[in-house]
């Protein structure tokens, strides 16, 4: 079996061009993704012709931005693509004059650890978020996602 080729650099792209299958790896709701996918604030990393990592941002106001979705194909995880993508997104938000980058994630699982290792801090809890916003129960490591954590990363 051959090794995947080295992915290309981060590229800004329109969110509607990102593959839904990839985005569903980070947010299992097609209807929620469709609400934020139509934006020019999106980035990808390609491996030859295929998008293997993606991120979508939303501007909340002049100072605050939110990372709505960030996903890396399972076959390309563990290669630092998530860190590369997150760094590019943070640089962009800084260039736009943003002061804070927010992200929402579950109370369990790898994404929480990923964002905390990157310097994000928990600033709020949304009780029962996953129970109210998703049609099906979401489980990870045998535990059901119920509450959503909001994490922030100061950009100044």
């Amino acid at each position: 079996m051959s090794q995947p080729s080295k992915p290309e650099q981060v590229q800004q792209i329109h969110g509607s061009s990102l593959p839904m299958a990839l985005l569903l790896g980070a947010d299992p709701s097609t209807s929620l993704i469709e609400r934020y996918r139509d934006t020019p604030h999106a980035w990808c990393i390609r491996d030859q012709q295929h998008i293997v990592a993606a991120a979508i941002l939303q501007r909340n106001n002049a100072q605050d931005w939110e990372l709505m979705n960030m996903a890396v194909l399972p076959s390309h995880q563990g290669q630092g693509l998530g860190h590369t993508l997150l760094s590019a997104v943070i640089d962009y938000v800084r260039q736009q004059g943003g002061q804070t980058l927010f992200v929402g994630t579950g109370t369990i699982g790898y994404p929480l650890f990923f964002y905390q290792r990157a310097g994000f801090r928990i600033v709020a809890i949304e009780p029962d978020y996953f129970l109210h916003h998703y049609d099906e129960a979401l489980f990870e490591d045998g535990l059901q996602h119920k509450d959503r954590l909001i994490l922030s990363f100061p950009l100044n």
Side-chain angles (χ1 to χ4, degrees):
M1 188 160 130
S2 65
Q3 291 281 8
S5 62
K6 183 175 171 78
E8 298 174 16
Q9 296 299 316
V10 177
Q11 166 187 16
Q12 191 165 357
I13 188 173
H14 196 277
S16 62
S17 299
L18 296 171
M20 181 61 77
L22 174 60
L23 299 174
L24 286 168
D27 183 349
S29 172
T30 303
S31 63
L32 289 178
I33 292 170
E34 289 298 342
R35 291 182 193 169
Y36 58 76
R37 187 177 181 203
D38 187 22
T39 178
H41 304 296
W43 289 261
C44 71
I45 298 176
R46 297 176 189 271
D47 183 358
Q48 297 177 7
Q49 299 300 318
H50 303 287
I51 294 174
V52 297
I56 297 176
L57 279 178
Q58 177 176 295
R59 186 177 209 150
N60 294 335
N61 56 50
Q63 294 138 350
D64 299 332
W65 291 71
E66 184 173 352
L67 181 58
M68 302 302 293
N69 190 308
M70 192 167 89
V72 177
L73 284 178
S75 61
H76 287 73
Q77 291 174 0
Q79 300 177 27
L81 300 182
H83 291 287
T84 300
L85 200 52
L86 184 59
S87 292
V89 165
I90 288 170
D91 288 346
Y92 177 82
V93 173
R94 277 193 177 117
Q95 291 167 8
Q96 301 304 306
Q99 298 296 307
T100 308
L101 178 60
F102 292 94
V103 66
T105 192
T107 58
I108 52 175
Y110 179 78
L112 175 60
F113 302 122
F114 172 82
Y115 293 118
Q116 287 181 312
R117 278 196 310 263
F120 283 77
R121 303 279 313 266
I122 298 169
V123 294
I125 300 172
E126 292 182 272
D128 297 332
Y129 177 87
F130 292 101
L131 302 177
H132 297 302
H133 291 87
Y134 290 83
D135 294 334
E136 295 182 21
L138 302 177
F139 287 88
E140 192 165 342
D141 297 326
L143 296 173
Q144 184 178 4
H145 281 283
K146 294 178 183 175
D147 306 326
R148 180 168 85 153
L149 299 175
I150 304 300
L151 293 88
S152 72
F153 184 85
L155 298 167
N156 46 15

